[in-house]
Amino acid sequence: MRLAFLSIFNRLVAGVSLALLVTAAASLSGCSPDNKSESLGALPTATFTVTPLSGKANYYVASATTAGVFQYYWNKGDGSASAVGGPNDTIFYPVAGNYRVTLLAFGHGGYDSTTQIVQVDSNAPQVNVLVNPSLTTDSGWTTLNTGGTITTITFTPQGLNFSNAAGSNTNGGVYQAVSVKAGVVYTFSATVTTPGSTDTWVEFYFGKTVPKQGSDYTDNKLWSLNTYSGCGGGPETGNIVMLNCAGSGSSTGQMTFPQDETIYFVIKSGSYLGTEGPGGVYVANVVLDMPPQ
């Protein structure tokens, strides 16, 4: 009897197991994958136009005509990096030449780029923002005592003169406050004439720090003649931007500012147990040009 009972029990268990497997298979076979697919959208075709901005010399408006774009990268072709912008971008070229403008357009379906050449026929007319740039009088300029014995500073018909005797340990300068605008390309130049100096510096600063009488000025030296660095030791005259050997300014004289602000333009010169040379060093025709706004 016991063996018969076990035989019947095993057959029942096997039947139940088979039924469960069949049910599970039927259940799985009733499922089907979602056949829906989402499209990212069409691949954009980058296109744009460039037209002169009416009434503003050397300004151009680049306008993207591509549909379905959510991000635009513009490159002006002037050596600056590409930057995120909108469908319309205003471009300024201070110097005549041909510039390759590039648009990189991103859409939901991908990205595309295109370029075109912009021909700029002439250099932009500039406006010198400095007061009394000839330096023939002290109008607009404040003499800066940098501490210690001050270099002899004289405004002459030939410009600003720095002078001292042989073996002098002097320093000093002049400065003026200048209001600048954010993002505008400014171009600096100044004529420096030296008879040949020893242990001498002639320095040009554009700093945010307000000059303080009795204290040296060291904020943002951009261009400099410096006999310790190998320039200014012999007789020469020219644009300090080209003669520069001891400043961090660009070889083009161009600079921009991150915000509308007041900066301080400081011209400083002196010697350490040296001399400015016979007759001294002259600085004249200082220019900080900006395009007309």
Side-chain angles (χ1 to χ4, degrees):
M1 288 294 292
R2 186 178 177 214
L3 291 174
F5 174 78
L6 290 174
S7 177
I8 294 170
F9 178 77
N10 288 336
R11 285 198 296 270
L12 288 172
V13 171
V16 171
S17 299
L18 179 60
L20 290 173
L21 289 172
V22 171
T23 301
S27 177
L28 290 173
S29 66
C31 296
S32 61
D34 189 353
N35 291 323
K36 293 181 180 179
S37 61
E38 297 292 336
S39 173
L40 293 177
L43 183 71
T45 300
T47 56
F48 67 93
T49 61
V50 180
T51 55
L53 182 59
S54 178
K56 301 193 78 171
N58 292 60
Y59 279 88
Y60 297 82
V61 176
S63 299
T65 54
T66 307
V69 173
F70 63 83
Q71 195 161 64
Y72 304 83
Y73 281 84
W74 294 98
N75 188 297
K76 298 186 294 183
D78 61 353
S80 60
S82 297
V84 178
N88 301 303
D89 199 50
T90 301
I91 304 172
F92 171 68
Y93 295 111
V95 180
N98 292 327
Y99 299 87
R100 183 181 296 275
V101 181
T102 301
L103 168 64
L104 181 62
F106 285 84
H108 292 289
Y111 66 90
D112 189 32
S113 65
T114 187
T115 67
Q116 62 176 282
I117 301 297
V118 175
Q119 180 177 322
V120 180
D121 295 327
S122 60
N123 293 343
Q126 301 284 295
V127 176
N128 191 354
V129 300
L130 297 178
V131 176
N132 186 17
S134 67
L135 291 161
T136 55
T137 69
D138 64 359
S139 176
W141 297 93
T142 300
T143 298
L144 178 63
N145 182 341
T146 56
T149 304
I150 190 169
T151 303
T152 300
I153 299 173
T154 310
F155 294 88
T156 78
Q158 292 76 42
L160 181 66
N161 178 256
F162 294 100
S163 63
N164 55 21
S168 294
N169 185 9
T170 69
N171 197 21
V174 299
Y175 72 92
Q176 66 175 254
V178 184
S179 296
V180 295
K181 296 183 178 295
V184 173
V185 179
Y186 291 85
T187 304
F188 174 73
S189 64
T191 302
V192 178
T193 301
T194 174
S197 304
T198 58
D199 300 323
T200 290
W201 53 89
V202 185
E203 301 172 333
F204 297 80
Y205 294 81
F206 287 86
K208 296 182 180 181
T209 305
V210 180
K212 181 180 179 181
Q213 297 295 340
S215 298
D216 198 8
Y217 197 86
T218 59
D219 185 5
N220 199 27
K221 179 175 66 178
L222 294 184
W223 296 280
S224 174
L225 279 184
N226 191 305
T227 58
Y228 296 100
S229 297
C231 59
E236 56 188 332
T237 186
N239 183 357
I240 186 59
V241 170
M242 306 304 296
L243 299 176
N244 171 61
C245 69
S248 61
S250 77
S251 60
T252 63
Q254 292 184 345
M255 68 184 93
T256 58
F257 299 91
Q259 59 190 17
D260 291 358
E261 58 187 332
T262 297
I263 55 97
Y264 296 89
F265 172 40
V266 178
I267 308 172
K268 190 178 74 172
S269 186
S271 302
Y272 179 70
L273 302 180
T275 177
E276 302 272 3
V281 173
Y282 284 88
V283 178
N285 304 319
V286 291
V287 174
L288 186 61
D289 272 343
M290 66 178 292
Q293 300 298 296

